[in-house]
Amino acid sequence: MGSLRKFHCIMLIQRTVYHFTTVGGYYCNWRLFMLRYHRNRPVQVSAELLLGSIEAAAEVAIDLKPVLQSVGLSVGQLQTGNGKLPLHVVVEFLNELAELAGDDIFALRIAKHQPGNRFAAVSKLIKFAPTLNVAINDAIQFSLLNSEYSDWALHCEDDCALLTRYTRFAYHGALVQMQTLALAVVYKAMLEVCRPAPRLVQVQFTHARPNKVESLERFFSAPILFNQPRNTLVFNASDLALPLPGADEQIYAVMRGHLEQLAQAYQHPTSVDQAVRHLIKRTLGSGQCHLNSISALLSLHPRTLQRQLSARATSFAQLLNDARIELACDYLLNSSIGLSELSDILGYANVSALVRAFSQQTGVPPRRWQQIHKHHEKNAAV
């Protein structure tokens, strides 16, 4: 249980820092409270940050092996994005890869290849938000579920909206690739969720001007400023009112309720099965909700995790199935969600897999269960 206690302590420290620097719901400048980064006590970041690296390297025909050996990573970690990595390992990998490619904004190539579901439950939530403003603020509110290193703030100045990236730890090292990747991925998410997409007025980076500015300007379709006091995406404030094409009030309300529960329970896993249940709900539908990935997040070997769960009379498969059915029932009872959308949210391969699993657990297919329980609920209200 040592790994679980370590997991608990790390989350408690991070959450304490989060509450300390967020006052009354208003964002405070992290730089006033920033903790210093220590390599011997590293901040862990998601290995999903490096998804797309293999494809980006293939574009320019470079061999990843020397860089992987230099920083102590494996091809498997780049392929799956499982688990977490020390921040300095990720930064050094990105920097060495950029140097090998002779491309000082190589991280932009990586961002282009990253999957749209990288932010797990949060990416699902913002899809159903009513407006871009609500989507961005939700992503900020639940950011700690995805990143313990960085955070974002949204505010308006005159007619412009500024979406700014801050960090919770002071890292002393070259962060050009990390900053480029972060802003590119967030802008890419905005393009995917909002139609028509907001047009950027400008993009601001704290680092010096790189050589290949034209590639950045083409990607962001906006002027790029360097040596700025912050890393920021700037767009018209009026775009915050843009309605999102996937908006659904009922699904949004159910999903937001789930995320609020996850955020409240973030630092309180009292047992290994509770920690696994929490991580399952955080990663459902992201491609990271499987035994190997969850084990890596808990710093446990998959067999060790299975043994610990067995000692508590359960298994990973059982916890995954229970979480899926619990959430499915909530969506079916409180929204008019389609089965295709529901299967995607819960991480099933297709609707048939959802119907089969749901029927085995409840004895009836999802739509029949929905009819029965909504009928009972209606009669109870009479």
Side-chain angles (χ1 to χ4, degrees):
M1 294 297 290
S3 295
L4 180 62
R5 284 195 294 270
K6 178 182 177 183
F7 175 72
H8 186 173
C9 290
I10 289 173
M11 291 198 294
L12 180 59
I13 292 170
Q14 296 294 344
R15 197 63 177 169
T16 301
V17 172
Y18 176 77
H19 283 304
F20 180 61
T21 52
T22 307
V23 181
Y26 293 94
Y27 190 85
C28 295
N29 192 334
W30 283 107
R31 297 172 187 177
L32 298 177
F33 306 95
M34 197 176 297
L35 301 175
R36 184 178 179 182
Y37 182 83
H38 293 279
R39 293 172 69 98
N40 59 341
R41 298 193 303 277
V43 175
Q44 301 292 316
V45 297
S46 173
E48 289 182 285
L49 276 170
L50 301 182
L51 290 174
S53 298
I54 294 175
E55 294 81 358
E59 274 188 4
V60 293
I62 60 173
D63 185 4
L64 285 171
K65 290 181 181 178
V67 181
L68 291 172
Q69 291 174 353
S70 173
V71 300
L73 292 176
S74 68
V75 173
Q77 288 171 302
L78 301 186
Q79 291 173 328
T80 65
N82 288 347
K84 293 195 174 184
L85 300 169
L87 172 64
H88 63 271
V89 170
V90 172
V91 171
E92 289 168 7
F93 172 79
L94 292 173
N95 291 345
E96 291 188 26
L97 196 56
E99 184 177 356
L100 181 63
D103 184 351
D104 51 4
I105 55 167
F106 187 80
L108 183 62
R109 293 181 183 272
I110 297 176
K112 292 177 181 178
H113 287 287
Q114 290 208 341
N117 63 354
R118 211 200 83 189
F119 300 110
V122 176
S123 68
K124 304 289 186 185
L125 174 69
I126 63 176
K127 174 182 175 181
F128 298 107
T131 65
L132 181 61
N133 184 39
V134 174
I136 291 175
N137 279 291
D138 281 342
I140 291 171
Q141 178 179 346
F142 299 114
S143 65
L144 197 64
L145 294 175
N146 289 319
S147 175
E148 296 171 354
Y149 171 61
S150 62
D151 190 27
W152 295 77
L154 175 67
H155 71 280
C156 294
E157 292 181 4
D158 299 324
D159 295 330
C160 289
L162 288 78
L163 183 57
T164 301
R165 179 178 183 264
Y166 295 92
T167 58
R168 298 182 172 103
F169 293 83
Y171 183 91
H172 298 289
L175 290 171
V176 174
Q177 303 305 316
M178 194 73 165
Q179 290 165 176
T180 301
L181 179 62
L183 266 64
V185 166
V186 168
Y187 179 58
K188 182 179 173 182
M190 290 172 65
L191 294 179
E192 290 174 350
V193 77
C194 194
R195 295 286 187 275
R199 288 185 60 83
L200 295 180
V201 175
Q202 64 180 218
V203 179
Q204 302 173 1
F205 285 107
T206 56
H207 56 258
R209 180 186 178 91
N211 294 323
K212 298 184 178 180
V213 177
E214 297 79 10
S215 297
L216 287 172
E217 290 174 338
R218 283 195 300 271
F219 178 81
F220 289 108
S221 299
I224 315 293
L225 304 182
F226 300 95
N227 296 311
Q228 299 299 301
R230 53 198 174 189
N231 296 293
T232 302
L233 299 174
V234 184
F235 54 99
N236 291 321
S238 58
D239 286 345
L240 290 171
L242 287 172
L244 302 192
D248 187 299
E249 182 180 357
Q250 293 178 332
I251 299 175
Y252 172 79
V254 175
M255 189 172 291
R256 199 177 197 288
H258 293 160
L259 280 175
E260 287 174 345
Q261 292 174 8
L262 287 175
Q264 291 169 3
Y266 184 76
Q267 77 275 31
H268 298 301
T270 57
S271 62
V272 67
D273 54 320
Q274 286 191 6
V276 170
R277 189 177 294 109
H278 177 88
L279 290 171
I280 284 173
K281 290 183 177 181
R282 276 176 57 184
T283 57
L284 269 176
S286 69
Q288 298 297 307
C289 191
H290 51 79
L291 177 61
N292 288 343
S293 179
I294 300 299
S295 300
L297 289 172
L298 291 170
S299 301
L300 294 171
H301 190 280
R303 286 197 295 271
T304 302
L305 178 57
Q306 286 285 49
R307 283 197 301 271
Q308 292 188 9
L309 291 175
S310 179
R312 299 186 68 85
T314 188
S315 66
F316 180 82
Q318 183 63 54
L319 292 174
L320 174 59
N321 186 62
D322 289 348
R324 281 172 160 170
I325 300 304
E326 175 192 336
L327 294 175
C329 290
D330 199 0
Y331 282 109
L332 291 169
L333 190 60
N334 295 293
S335 75
S336 301
I337 192 170
L339 293 186
S340 177
E341 194 71 66
L342 183 58
S343 64
D344 178 64
I345 289 173
L346 300 178
Y348 287 105
N350 48 51
V351 172
S352 296
L354 163 64
V355 173
R356 184 167 55 252
F358 192 93
S359 300
Q360 289 174 350
Q361 185 80 1
T362 66
V364 293
R367 286 301 182 214
R368 180 59 182 151
W369 185 95
Q370 186 179 45
Q371 291 170 357
I372 293 171
H373 286 78
K374 284 197 171 183
H375 178 72
H376 288 168
E377 192 176 65
K378 183 178 179 180
N379 288 341
V382 174

